[in-house]
Amino acid sequence: MPAQLLSQPNPPPDPSHIPDSILSLRVDVPKNVLSSNELDSIRRFRRAADYIAAAMIFLKSNTLVEEPIKPDDIKHRLLGHWGTCPGLVLVYAHLNAIITRTNLNSLLVVGPGHGAPAILACLWLENSLATFWPKYTRDRQGLSALIRGFSVPGGFPSHINAETPGSIHEGGELGYALSVSFGAVMDKPDLVVCCVVGDGEAESGPTATAWHAYKYIDPAESGAVLPIVHVNGFKISERTIYGCMDDKELTALFVGYGYQPRFVEELNDIDQDLASSMQWALDEIHKIQKAARSGNPIVKPRWPVLILRTPKGWSTIKSLHGEYIEGSFRSHQVPLPEAKNDPEERKMLQAWLESYKPSEVLPNGEPSEEVLSIIPKEDKLKLGQKKEAYAAYEPIDVPAWIDHGVKKGTQESCMKVVGKFLNLVTHSNPTSFRIFSPDELVSNKLDAVLEDADSGRNFQWDPASRAKGGRVIEILSEHTCQGMLQGYTLTGRTGLFPSYEAFLGIVHTMMVQYSKFVKMAHETTWRQPVGSLNYLETSTWARQEHNGFSHQNPAFIGAVLDLKPSLARVYLPPDANCFLSTVAHCLRAKDYVNLMVGSKQPTPVWLSPEEADRHCIAGASIWKFASTDDGLEPDVVLVGIGVEVTFEVIAAAALLRKLVPQLRVRVVNVTDLMILGPQGSHPHALEDTDWDALFTGDGESDGKGRRYIHFNYHGYPVELKGLLFGRQGLERVTIEGYREEGTTTTALDMMLQNHTSRYHVAAAAIRGGAKVNKKVEVDAHEMISYVMHLAQKDREYIYANGAGEYPEGTFDVPKFD
């Protein structure tokens, strides 16, 4: 069947077999919060916002339906999603009312997709749209502009994005509103984020894991999230899982998660029901926070959750052509899709819009006094004008990394050195820096961060880390880490996401949605900068000896390369000092997605702190110590990009020095991947003259022939090919990188299998050099054959002797005479 067959609107769930006694764990509250005047004002606000939201989907003129709707009044293409709007308006109205009553410091995060009409309508009513978008004044002209311009070129889209005042969440992908909300309240003790979770959204993996996020909230130091699960029963064409669960099943679910569930479902008295429920929830939050802040925290507090049951598309038409509309999936998008061409549907649209009595709640296109009375009087309290959402960035104190550099010529784990530095960062920023890690911090050799309780873990259900101010959130859900990092970052703070390389792809689309949010934020005039999203990628394919093929996947590099160039940064620091420089830079940077890739195993420190500083500023440099004659007039250029593959380049240079002394080699290391793109393609891209200075020109001007360039790259070669496309003379470039070859094997065997070993690099160098150096050419075939013979002998040794065994001297630091 193409869509759900319905025997009635709002079909109830089948009863469960759970004992009725479970219902004693539901919360009941007296429903007496609102005065008659407040109740009337909330209802009028809802009518006004519902009217505007519905009109935005349909109308381009006659926006107050002051005369019969004509075909020309209706937009040519009807876009928008009505089904979730009445529930979102209901929540917004009541959040406004409770803010007005209590001066609550709150943000609203909206999870249901395509709920923009509801939120934009509410923002117009509270005059927040006009504050940031002056053409949407709170009068007839501004209202007409909003209704006419929705979901058309140049207008607001049908989902919430960075153009929506008050938003900290890109609404284009479902699932992570809840984790974003929890990230937003961390280190914001007075903030309450009200998060609406749609019942369709609740079926997603990111939402399912995010229910546990409150277990990482210390109520002494952080604010709180009030989740409102909006159960309207339907997705785009069928029922939702939550919509098919009865109250006993939902009670059991949320009690098991650790919440106190309060059902809001009395449709005949929904406003008193929701107002009383929100007040109860706020009181529970304050009780938990007061206990924690008085030094007597409640162990495993049960935080409130509201389960709001309202019909899908509530208040629209009941049926059309014999099919249910309200209370069914058919109200999910446009309830009257042929209103422009069908007189019957147009008449029903007229009656539907007039049912809100716009002349009462929007006289002459302006909100009535009753509607305005529940809106906070102070702009700083309005949901659309919270500075936490658009102007909250706090630069962090990043210690001078160079003071913590390590000695050139030693062997150091990049991650161990960085871990010690991050420990200093956490102590310097006790309320504005956090690390969000999917249970891999120790494995990734960053455990120095955990040496002190106040910089360690912040898992409130673990007595060892409870209420100690830890800066590390470790939960084995990349989705939850990503969402919390986004919420923390977009409300002004700075975070870091370390992970195994192979599994950052789990949050690929979340990262992309975030980048879209930041891209649109750049294009507004009123959103101020935020810190960057910082990814630290280690446990790489090159050193996965015991995990094997399943843990070998550098594809997240490509995901970042695909972003808008103004947002994307990819760094592959070659040693510990370069990594320190890169981390310090990324933690200070704003508005980027930064990806840092490196090794956790001890590797050579090639550069002193001062040399590393200059190298990282440049993004790439010629490594004279590994080049012949300091890199002057090379026959071939060998380029290393990544820790292990750079070691192989330097080992190849040393091997060539012995076997083919007549070959002139220049060794280049690239630490900032983005410099390689064609001039002008990225803010960091090298000018053509600078490119030639590093990699040599095309050979036509000096008459010496083209010098060949061989890249030994940590990621997939196709990524580098795409990045280089547009540079001149690419026919002289060869690239090797990860070829999707691997198993449980040694580091050298991984290099051999993926053609990134010293032997493959040396062979490529001889082939390239032979094209410009006749002395190399005469022995090229013999020497290439010999080099690859050495590769085969090493591979035979590895498989004969097992893991951890290498031919003598394999990983000794190469020496150059």
Side-chain angles (χ1 to χ4, degrees), residues 215-216 218 221 434-435 437 439-443 446-447 449-460 462-475:
K215 296 164 185 173
Y216 298 85
D218 180 354
E221 66 186 7
R434 287 187 185 245
I435 296 173
S437 172
D439 193 39
E440 294 156 357
L441 212 66
V442 173
S443 175
L446 294 165
D447 43 297
V449 175
L450 304 172
E451 289 177 355
D452 308 305
D454 58 350
S455 65
R457 296 186 178 93
N458 195 315
F459 181 24
Q460 297 305 302
D462 178 8
S465 57
R466 178 185 303 140
K468 292 184 171 63
R471 298 284 89 196
V472 176
I473 306 295
E474 272 195 295
I475 177 173

Side-chain angles (χ1 to χ4, degrees), residues 188-203:
K188 295 276 188 184
D190 298 324
L191 182 65
V192 175
V193 173
C194 179
C195 178
V196 183
V197 179
D199 54 351
E201 178 187 25
E203 297 177 8

Side-chain angles (χ1 to χ4, degrees), residues 509-789:
T509 57
M510 293 179 71
M511 178 273 293
V512 171
Q513 291 291 327
Y514 173 86
S515 76
K516 292 179 185 295
F517 189 96
V518 174
K519 187 243 185 206
M520 296 305 299
H522 280 182
E523 297 173 10
T524 68
T525 58
W526 46 272
R527 281 197 182 266
Q528 296 184 17
V530 294
S532 296
L533 279 199
N534 298 304
Y535 297 98
L536 200 165
E537 185 176 285
T538 186
S539 295
T540 63
W541 65 267
R543 297 299 301 267
Q544 280 298 338
E545 294 95 338
H546 71 282
N547 279 320
F549 194 42
S550 64
H551 284 54
Q552 295 159 4
N553 178 2
F556 198 67
I557 296 173
V560 178
L561 288 177
D562 288 338
L563 300 180
K564 186 82 173 175
S566 59
L567 304 178
R569 305 288 186 270
V570 180
Y571 301 100
L572 295 101
D575 70 3
N577 284 329
C578 292
F579 224 109
L580 280 174
S581 173
T582 302
V583 168
H585 167 74
C586 290
L587 293 181
R588 292 191 301 266
K590 294 176 287 192
D591 288 338
Y592 301 141
V593 174
N594 293 319
L595 174 60
M596 299 164 274
V597 185
S599 179
K600 66 183 182 182
Q601 306 296 347
T603 55
V605 180
W606 304 110
L607 305 179
S608 70
E610 293 74 19
E611 290 169 337
D613 188 41
R614 292 194 297 272
H615 179 57
C616 291
I617 290 170
S621 63
I622 298 168
W623 283 12
K624 297 178 181 179
F625 71 88
S627 306
T628 57
D629 198 15
D630 288 341
L632 292 174
E633 297 186 347
D635 299 325
V636 67
V637 180
L638 302 180
V639 188
I641 312 176
V643 175
E644 291 86 1
V645 293
T646 292
F647 183 94
E648 294 302 307
V649 165
I650 294 173
L655 181 64
L656 290 166
R657 191 80 62 92
K658 294 176 183 177
L659 297 180
V660 195
Q662 63 270 34
L663 178 66
R664 298 178 63 81
V665 174
R666 175 184 291 180
V667 171
V668 174
N669 177 263
V670 174
T671 184
D672 179 353
L673 193 60
M674 314 313 281
I675 69 163
L676 298 177
Q679 178 177 318
S681 64
H682 187 277
H684 292 186
L686 292 175
E687 298 285 331
D688 289 337
T689 52
D690 298 332
W691 168 274
D692 290 347
L694 272 179
F695 301 108
T696 72
D698 63 12
E700 294 178 0
S701 60
D702 58 17
K704 294 181 179 179
R706 295 182 170 183
R707 273 61 60 94
Y708 281 75
I709 311 166
H710 181 72
F711 286 90
N712 216 35
Y713 172 53
H714 176 85
Y716 289 98
V718 69
E719 298 164 352
L720 204 54
K721 291 176 183 177
L723 192 61
L724 292 170
F725 186 80
R727 288 285 183 188
Q728 295 298 309
L730 291 186
E731 63 276 6
R732 61 194 176 108
V733 169
T734 55
I735 301 172
E736 288 293 352
Y738 181 62
R739 290 180 163 219
E740 201 65 27
E741 294 291 344
T743 182
T744 303
T745 189
T746 68
L748 179 58
D749 190 40
M750 283 299 297
M751 296 293 138
L752 290 166
Q753 289 193 42
N754 289 280
H755 293 198
T756 54
S757 76
R758 61 203 68 183
Y759 306 113
H760 291 89
V761 175
I766 296 168
R767 289 190 187 96
K771 297 178 186 297
V772 295
N773 187 330
K774 296 300 182 182
K775 293 181 181 180
V776 175
E777 182 184 39
V778 296
D779 294 321
H781 173 66
E782 179 184 347
M783 294 313 303
I784 290 170
S785 299
Y786 178 66
V787 166
M788 298 315 297
H789 169 74

